[in-house]
Amino acid sequence: MSKEVKVPTLGESVTEATVGEWLKKPGDPVSVDEPIASLETDKVAVEVPSPVNGVMGEQKVAVGETVEVGALLATIEDDVAAGESTSVEPREAAAPAEQAPAPASTASDERKDDGTLEDTAPAQAKVHDPEATQTLSPAVRRAVLEHGVDPSTIKGTGKDGRLTKEDVLAAAAEAKAAPAPSSSAPAPSPSPAPAPAATGERREERVKMTRMRQTIAKRLKSAQDTAALLTTFNDVDMTAVIEAREKFKDTFAKKHDIKLGFMSFFAKAACLALKDIPSVNAQIEGDEIVYFDYVDISVAVSAPNGLVVPVVRDADRKSFAQIEKDIADFGKRAKDGTLTMEDMKGGTFTISNGGVFGGLMSTPIINPPQSAVLGLHRIEDRPVVRDGEIVIRPMMYIALSYDHRLIDGREAVTALKTIKEAIEDPMRMLIDL
């Protein structure tokens, strides 16, 4: 008896998805609600759970194929049928070994997942197959091959212990930093040296764009084609914020169980600016302008498959601590691939922090249908003039890209200046200036 697994409802107005990866292989035991596949939609990855306990049956579609809501994905076999099918294969595989048993001195018994024993010999050691024990995403698989690491020796930090690209890169860096073995240690048994790579070899690799990457490309290009994009810049002296963080970080973390970061300061400063300049917190719909009396800030977060923008709702009404908690939760769930459609829905303004990657200055692109985005960058010590003297201050360039169809230059510059003043004098955020 088998149970069909179909593509679940993916969210409002989302009718299809792409099979990103299979998390279970035919013959693998599965429990009810355990994820068996990951589907990529336009915004997030959606895991498909097993409806029953049993064993993974036939996979009806391959990785990379597009499926619609309600389409058949796979089947789950019940435990009895699965037990009958798996009880024969090990005996058939063991038959040659019974006809020609290996000497006791060169063979060992290895227990399979299904409880049977398999004879293994060092002279005929099996080649390690990373996918035999875990499913690797294309990005992780490429990283494994490029750096020559064994994925079975790496502890995954992703969802359900899965490997991420960052895990592989960290393991590769650790392997390079490890000291060479001592000359007094026994020399390993000789093995054939790998053939040297051909010098000057040029390679190409074609990888199909994920559905999320295709959507990002379409939306960003649409923003350029539709909006009248313009960017205004300013720089911010981060001294006051850095001193406030240093002074209160321990007390803040102890009371709220979260670190005090820069994003909450900029979110609250942006709320002040958006209240003062309503057009920066508005959007165009047809021949109408929609103004919002609330601030829902989309925060750009880096995920394994691309940039996502979950929304901190009612940021203007939330405390610093709650904003920090929301952003930290989004970052963790983006890495684990557990963000939902609801997390991305809406948003009236976006903050993108390119400084975490070392960016000095950029012109961010708005997130349609929003009309403005604030870009943050790295902090670096620079000489500036204060009270007629040249001093060193931790400075950051900030940028506001906006839709000139709706926002005039004066309004954009004023909004960015308001953010600058609030960051340089955080007291303004407390007394609403």
Side-chain angles (χ1 to χ4, degrees):
M1 191 72 180
S2 62
K3 177 71 174 180
E4 293 183 342
V5 182
K6 297 184 178 181
V7 178
T9 301
L10 301 171
E12 184 180 355
S13 74
V14 181
T15 60
E16 62 180 21
T18 300
V19 179
E21 61 176 322
W22 285 102
L23 307 178
K24 293 290 184 179
K25 298 179 181 180
D28 288 350
V30 296
S31 303
V32 62
D33 293 332
E34 184 178 8
I36 63 170
S38 177
L39 303 180
E40 294 180 354
T41 68
D42 292 347
K43 295 183 178 180
V44 296
V46 178
E47 291 185 337
V48 180
S50 171
V52 294
N53 293 320
V55 174
M56 186 69 185
E58 182 182 359
Q59 297 172 350
K60 299 294 185 180
V61 291
V63 171
E65 290 189 19
T66 299
V67 291
E68 296 182 350
V69 173
L72 181 61
L73 273 180
T75 59
I76 303 295
E77 307 294 338
D78 60 37
D79 293 327
V80 176
E84 294 174 353
S85 63
T86 56
S87 62
V88 177
E89 294 179 1
R91 284 197 292 267
E92 293 175 349
E98 292 174 357
Q99 295 173 4
S105 60
T106 60
S108 61
D109 289 335
E110 179 177 308
R111 187 169 297 276
K112 288 185 175 180
D113 292 339
D114 59 7
T116 60
L117 294 177
E118 180 185 48
D119 290 333
T120 59
Q124 297 178 342
K126 293 184 292 184
V127 177
H128 174 72
D129 180 6
E131 298 191 37
T133 56
Q134 55 185 312
T135 302
L136 305 180
S137 68
V140 173
R141 189 178 299 111
R142 285 196 300 272
V144 166
L145 295 176
E146 289 174 4
H147 296 279
V149 296
D150 182 358
S152 65
T153 63
I154 306 173
K155 183 179 180 181
T157 60
K159 173 74 172 176
D160 296 330
R162 275 181 247 151
L163 288 184
T164 66
K165 183 178 179 181
E166 290 74 15
D167 296 332
V168 176
L169 296 178
E174 184 177 346
K176 289 181 179 179
S182 172
S183 58
S184 60
S189 56
S191 58
T199 58
E201 182 179 2
R202 296 167 49 151
R203 297 182 180 180
E204 293 182 359
E205 180 183 11
R206 291 182 180 269
V207 179
K208 185 177 180 180
M209 292 175 69
T210 64
R211 177 174 291 271
M212 183 183 294
R213 176 52 59 184
Q214 293 179 45
T215 301
I216 291 173
K218 290 177 183 177
R219 284 176 58 82
L220 294 181
K221 185 57 182 172
S222 175
Q224 287 185 321
D225 292 341
T226 303
L229 290 178
L230 191 63
T231 303
T232 183
F233 297 92
N234 214 319
D235 61 356
V236 178
D237 186 340
M238 297 293 293
T239 301
V241 168
I242 291 175
E243 289 177 350
R245 286 184 68 207
E246 187 64 27
K247 181 177 180 180
F248 297 112
K249 64 179 182 180
D250 294 335
T251 306
F252 187 90
K254 184 177 180 180
K255 180 176 181 178
H256 301 291
D257 196 28
I258 190 72
K259 291 182 179 180
L260 179 59
F262 290 129
M263 284 296 290
S264 56
F265 284 93
F266 279 100
K268 299 299 286 186
C271 289
L272 284 181
L274 300 183
K275 291 294 185 180
D276 288 346
I277 314 294
S279 61
V280 183
N281 194 45
Q283 60 190 43
I284 295 176
E285 288 188 6
D287 59 355
E288 296 180 334
I289 300 174
V290 181
Y291 293 94
F292 303 97
D293 68 349
Y294 55 87
V295 179
D296 287 352
I297 296 182
S298 302
V299 180
V301 177
S302 180
N305 293 331
L307 198 69
V308 293
V309 279
V311 180
V312 178
R313 305 193 188 281
D314 296 317
D316 53 323
R317 304 176 188 176
K318 288 184 175 178
S319 65
F320 280 71
Q322 189 57 56
I323 291 174
E324 291 290 355
K325 288 179 180 179
D326 287 352
I327 294 174
D329 178 59
F330 287 146
K332 181 179 183 302
R333 290 198 286 136
K335 184 177 180 180
D336 294 342
T338 58
L339 288 173
T340 66
M341 288 289 190
E342 191 62 28
D343 294 327
M344 316 281 208
K345 188 177 178 181
T348 63
F349 183 77
T350 295
I351 298 179
S352 177
N353 186 6
V356 296
F357 305 109
L360 177 63
M361 187 180 293
S362 67
T363 56
I365 300 178
I366 64 173
N367 179 23
Q370 298 173 20
S371 298
V373 53
L374 174 66
L376 309 182
H377 303 92
R378 77 169 184 254
I379 302 171
E380 64 176 8
D381 289 340
R382 293 203 300 269
V384 295
V385 177
R386 295 288 185 268
D387 298 325
E389 295 183 356
I390 298 177
V391 295
I392 303 298
R393 290 286 188 269
M395 304 297 293
M396 175 197 288
Y397 288 116
I398 57 175
L400 184 73
S401 291
Y402 58 99
D403 188 348
H404 212 342
R405 296 178 302 165
L406 173 60
I407 304 171
D408 293 332
R410 176 183 61 83
E411 295 173 315
V413 171
T414 301
L416 194 61
K417 184 171 179 287
T418 300
I419 295 173
K420 168 186 170 70
E421 291 173 345
I423 294 298
E424 293 184 341
D425 185 4
M427 183 63 71
R428 288 174 173 267
M429 289 182 267
L430 297 179
I431 59 178
D432 195 14
L433 287 179

